[in-house]
Amino acid sequence: MDDIFEIKFPIESEIKDKVITKFSTKQGGAFAIFSYYWQCFVWAATIGFLRDEKRPLGSPSERIFSLNTMRNNGGDKDAQALICMCIARNGSLDIMKEPEEAVRNISEYANGGFYHILKLMENGENSFNDFEKVKQEIFSRNYSFDENIILEENAIESYGEQDTKNEDVSGDVDNSSKLNILKKTSKWKTREENELFSYYKQGMSIKQLATYFDKDESSVIEKLESQGIKLNK
């Protein structure tokens, strides 16, 4: 079976020229947000997955990087996240039995995200030179996956370990025991705290903040109130 981490993602040549290179500092792009092409791809894929918007790839297309490219350049969590979202949207781990299909699936969601970004740019969106606003493009909306198709964090880690051994991850285990809501933690990093206060002041709701930081709403409220911020309840 092909190794999903080695298969390169297909990307429309037009999208590469109109979106990816414009966001790449390496190419001196107009917005200079990302250092690598794959980072822009992950951004677009996340938008596509959260909006549940797929778009078949047109031609010509190029294959530039793989999940291994991400893992080898500090993007191991990004690679795992793409796998997680792919499984979640397909509702089953079975998609991982066909690595080429999984890569195509991720690419189509990324393509949907790219065209959403392109549409915003064509409509005069001019805030993409602010990285914080780029992140908010993803997280300031009320998106949610069905709780029955969110992959449990340890299942993803387990898959990654098995995949490197080229083992079959499907087995006969019932999918309901494999899939669950991502576990949340109430621990806050200093960087997260600083961003929390900044985003709250910018108008993000408690629910949006909880989604962004992957925390319970009660934890968000507690953290804000601990800093003397009075909330309207």
Side-chain angles (χ1 to χ4, degrees), residues 120-176:
L120 291 177
M121 294 168 63
E122 291 175 345
N123 287 341
E125 173 61 60
N126 60 2
S127 63
F128 284 141
N129 59 334
D130 185 333
F131 185 55
E132 297 307 312
K133 290 183 178 179
V134 168
K135 290 195 292 185
Q136 287 184 50
E137 160 57 30
I138 300 174
F139 293 104
S140 64
R141 292 172 168 76
N142 290 323
Y143 298 121
S144 64
F145 286 111
D146 186 313
E147 66 179 30
N148 292 320
I149 61 170
I150 296 295
L151 190 67
E152 189 173 349
E153 191 173 22
N154 60 8
I156 277 291
E157 293 175 353
S158 175
Y159 165 73
E161 293 172 359
Q162 291 175 339
D163 179 77
T164 57
K165 299 176 183 178
N166 200 30
E167 295 177 356
D168 183 1
V169 302
S170 58
D172 297 321
V173 182
D174 182 65
N175 281 336
S176 63

Side-chain angles (χ1 to χ4, degrees), residues 80-96:
Q80 290 185 27
L82 290 181
I83 293 174
C84 176
M85 290 186 285
C86 178
I87 295 172
R89 277 299 177 204
N90 283 274
S92 170
L93 286 166
D94 289 345
I95 186 69
M96 291 297 105

